[in-house]
Structures are given as C-alpha cells and as structure tokens.
Amino acid sequence: PVLCAPDAKVLVVDDNKMNLKVVQALLKRTQVQLDFATGGNQCFDMTKEKKYDLILMDHMMPDPDGIETLHLLRNADGNPNKNTKVIVLTANAIEGMREQYLAEGFTDYLSKPIEVENLEAVLIRHLTQN
C-alpha cells in the first residue's frame, strides 16, 4: 500500500544534503509536507516554531549528533515537539543497534541506505497511530 498523507508534517534531519534529496524523492508520492534541517541545532530551532507529526533524524551528524539532539528535544519544556515521534536514520545496522537506539528514546529505527518500502512502512506505522 502506498501512503498518501498530504496533511502530515515531517521534519527530515541529516547533515548530508544528498541524503535529504533522497528522502525527498522517496517520499514524493506520499505527498507529506517535508521540512529539512542540516543539523541538530537547526532541527532544535525548527521544532520550537512548528509542530511536526514525525521527525526522521540522522544519528551521525556533527555537534550535536542525533542522540544528543533527541535528548535536547525530550528535555525542552514548552517545545511543541517534546513528545513527537523521532525515527533514527543510520548506516549503523549491526545487530543490537536497533535496541540501543530505542533505549536512547527513539521511536523507531531505519537503516541506510533507505529503501522506499521500509520508509513508507515506518511512516504508515507511525503516522496512522494515535
């Protein structure tokens, strides 16, 4: 099934602009409203200004990395995205990493390179849950 969610607001965070373009291309047919941040600080600033339904965040970014950015977000009283679901995007696909990311507070895990079927499945799972 193809997700079509034109009302969904998704923030994609990755310091690699090519990765941002890949996610944008993969999600084009879903019609979700995408915003992009190229680092943790920009992401944190953007989350203060706009409520998102889902955040897709790279782990390996320069200071702060994805885990540190998630912790900033979770501890930011008054931030409208304090409890927004955050999916980690990572090339770190070794056994046991999913559990470690979930233990850090991420909602879900998506390994790179991102495959459209996996990305859409994650969106369906988290955008359709209340």
Side-chain angles (χ1 to χ4, degrees), residues 12-25:
V12 185
V13 187
D14 198 310
D15 61 312
N16 183 316
K17 291 183 181 178
M18 182 56 71
N19 289 342
L20 295 175
K21 289 181 181 186
V22 167
V23 172
Q24 182 177 26

Side-chain angles (χ1 to χ4, degrees), residues 43-106:
C43 164
F44 190 66
D45 289 343
M46 291 173 74
T47 62
K48 293 183 222 175
E49 304 298 323
K50 182 176 180 179
K51 173 70 173 109
Y52 292 96
D53 298 302
L54 193 66
I55 299 172
L56 303 173
M57 188 177 319
D58 182 34
H59 171 204
M60 300 302 247
M61 299 184 292
D63 190 32
D65 71 15
I67 293 172
E68 293 167 328
T69 303
L70 175 70
H71 292 173
L72 283 172
L73 186 61
R74 293 294 185 243
N75 293 313
D77 292 331
N79 186 307
N81 292 283
K82 180 176 181 168
N83 297 310
T84 298
K85 295 176 181 183
V86 181
I87 312 303
V88 66
L89 305 176
T90 181
N92 198 349
I94 60 173
E95 189 172 332
M97 287 311 299
R98 182 178 198 284
E99 292 74 19
Q100 287 184 25
Y101 285 119
L102 296 180
E104 287 288 350
F106 286 98

Side-chain angles (χ1 to χ4, degrees), residues 7-43:
D7 296 328
K9 296 171 188 69
V10 176
L11 176 59
V12 185
V13 187
D14 198 310
D15 61 312
N16 183 316
K17 291 183 181 178
M18 182 56 71
N19 289 342
L20 295 175
K21 289 181 181 186
V22 167
V23 172
Q24 182 177 26
L26 292 176
L27 291 179
K28 185 174 184 177
R29 67 183 184 170
T30 67
Q31 299 178 24
V32 297
Q33 299 173 41
L34 294 173
D35 285 339
F36 302 96
T38 56
N41 289 324
Q42 184 183 20
C43 164

